[in-house]
Amino acid sequence: MKISLTVNGERRETDVWGGESLLYALRERLGLPGSKNACEQGECGSCSVLLDGTLVCACLVLAAQADGHEVVTVEGLARDGHLHRVQEAFVAAGAVQCGFCTPGLVVATADLLERSPDPSDDEIREALSGNLCRCTGYQKIFDAVRMAAQS
Ligand code: FES
Ligand code: FES
């Protein structure tokens, strides 16, 4: 089946099969490998994207469900060649090691700061509770979120 959706502000069309995930369609059909596939079971958050402004795991959404809707991936956060402030903060804070969790954490953090520009520690923990990192121990990620909030 053919679907038509807006991805990072651009109208895109692609053929998908009925059981295909949005994550697969983004990565394999639309040339956007930023969203990572680390579990494909909704457990790790590495595939986090915004669907009509709501944070979702793209591996749990059917591509067909995104037909006619708006998706923002990590590739859509930078503007005019400049990294998003959350991306800059993750680099500055040293919050990236293997980087597998990073795109999902960046999207989830950008979403958090959109809703709550000066989040408490508990709000940060809650907002990022669906994003697993196996490398950093989370302290640097916390530092990055606070840095982004202050920037
Ligand atoms: S790949 Fe989607 S939650 Fe892990
Ligand atoms: S930096 Fe490796 S999983 Fe988070």
Side-chain angles (χ1 to χ4, degrees), residues 61-124:
V61 176
L62 291 175
Q65 288 177 290
D67 186 32
H69 294 272
E70 186 171 346
V71 176
V72 176
T73 71
V74 69
E75 288 97 338
L77 295 181
R79 282 279 174 278
D80 303 325
H82 297 289
L83 290 179
H84 189 282
R85 65 187 166 126
V86 174
Q87 293 171 311
E88 284 179 344
F90 267 67
V91 173
V96 182
Q97 288 188 29
C98 83
F100 224 84
C101 68
T102 308
L105 277 161
V106 166
V107 173
T109 302
D111 176 58
L112 167 67
L113 297 183
E114 200 60 45
R115 291 181 287 108
S116 177
D118 186 20
S120 66
D121 286 357
D122 283 350
E123 275 182 284
I124 296 172

Side-chain angles (χ1 to χ4, degrees), residues 116-139:
S116 177
D118 186 20
S120 66
D121 286 357
D122 283 350
E123 275 182 284
I124 296 172
R125 283 195 189 91
E126 171 72 28
L128 302 186
S129 60
N131 294 80
L132 303 184
C133 176
R134 65 193 158 192
C135 304
T136 66
Y138 296 98
Q139 189 55 50

Side-chain angles (χ1 to χ4, degrees), residues 34-51:
S35 309
K36 297 292 179 266
N37 180 357
C39 76
E40 232 174 353
Q41 295 181 356
E43 298 286 346
C44 74
S46 64
C47 63
S48 300
V49 300
L50 297 172
L51 178 63

